[in-house]
């Protein structure tokens, strides 16, 4: 988690200005308990890392009610 917390994406502010929905998704993930939340690459994919599977599942179920594509994944 420490490495992930140090990660960043310099394109986030640019993408968020052009597509405010990416910032809204990021804010929602944070509210739902994500420890690390970033936009992947040049966007528009946003992901959150959770310490507990239960929180990740709750976030997944909450977000899929309003978003077209939501995926729940596990690290290897």
């Amino acid at each position: 988690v420490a490495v992930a917390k140090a990660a960043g994406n310099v394109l986030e502010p640019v993408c968020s200005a052009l597509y405010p929905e990416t910032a809204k998704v990021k804010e929602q993930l944070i509210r739902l308990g994500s420890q690390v939340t970033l936009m992947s690459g040049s966007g528009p994919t946003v992901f959150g890392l959770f310490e507990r599977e239960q929180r990740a599942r709750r976030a997944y179920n909450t977000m899929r009610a309003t978003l077209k594509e939501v995926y729940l994944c596990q690290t290897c």
Side-chain angles (χ1 to χ4, degrees):
V1 174
V3 172
K5 285 184 178 183
N9 185 333
V10 296
L11 293 175
E12 262 189 47
V14 175
C15 187
S16 294
L18 294 171
Y19 304 98
E21 56 271 17
T22 59
K24 289 178 184 177
V25 169
K26 185 173 178 175
E27 290 167 10
Q28 187 177 16
L29 281 167
I30 292 168
R31 280 195 311 275
L32 290 167
S34 173
Q35 299 297 305
V36 177
T37 309
L38 288 170
M39 184 181 76
S40 176
S42 58
T45 302
V46 177
F47 68 92
L49 302 177
F50 293 81
E51 287 190 46
R52 302 199 187 283
E53 183 178 346
Q54 181 181 11
R55 281 193 177 180
R57 287 191 182 281
R58 191 176 317 134
Y60 168 78
N61 289 325
T62 299
M63 297 185 81
R64 72 182 191 155
T66 57
L67 298 172
K68 184 177 179 180
E69 292 186 59
V70 179
Y71 302 95
L72 182 63
C73 304
Q74 183 174 344
T75 56
C76 296

